[in-house]
Amino acid sequence: MTTFDDRERAYETKFALDAELRFKAEARRNRLLGEWAAGLMGMQGDEARRYAMTIVTSDFEATGAHDVSSKLAADLEGRADEAEIRAKMTELMEVARKQVIGENQ
């Protein structure tokens, strides 16, 4: 095996790991967003957890975060606007990323 092959394998492994961590962080962010939104709607306990899972699964409907923000905007009409939702998504992505990285160390 050559150095080039070793290097190529290392890049492929890193790419796969980065993709997995990104997926986990996005799913975590969506759950955290769901919990935040559930709180704004007055949900607690199991109801809030179930709602948070609907946010996680809504991300599988289309590529990108637009499906999540659209669902939240519709559900939170009058409670949070699009700008607030986007800001919360950015904030919680950083929280989720730190949590996932911390779990994988």
Side-chain angles (χ1 to χ4, degrees):
M1 184 165 294
T2 67
T3 302
F4 179 76
D5 291 334
D6 291 341
R7 190 180 270 168
E8 184 178 17
R9 251 192 220 16
Y11 282 125
E12 289 171 356
T13 301
K14 183 179 181 338
F15 180 81
L17 179 60
D18 288 348
E20 180 183 352
L21 290 175
R22 189 171 35 258
F23 174 81
K24 287 179 179 181
E26 287 174 1
R28 176 75 55 91
R29 177 211 53 204
N30 293 339
R31 183 179 56 80
L32 294 170
L33 276 167
E35 291 171 355
W36 167 75
L40 290 178
M41 293 185 286
M43 297 178 191
Q44 296 178 349
D46 288 340
E47 182 183 25
R49 280 187 285 284
R50 279 192 301 276
Y51 177 77
M53 289 310 297
T54 69
I55 300 301
V56 172
T57 57
S58 74
D59 194 25
F60 301 130
E61 294 172 10
T63 304
H66 182 69
D67 42 354
V68 172
S69 63
S70 294
K71 176 166 178 40
L72 286 168
D75 292 350
L76 294 175
E77 191 172 333
R79 294 181 182 99
D81 62 17
E82 190 78 28
E84 185 177 357
I85 292 167
R86 291 249 176 233
K88 197 58 143 171
M89 289 178 81
T90 301
E91 172 191 334
L92 292 177
M93 186 62 186
E94 189 59 34
V95 170
R97 187 177 290 125
K98 287 178 182 176
Q99 288 178 359
V100 168
I101 290 170
E103 292 170 0
N104 288 308
Q105 290 183 348

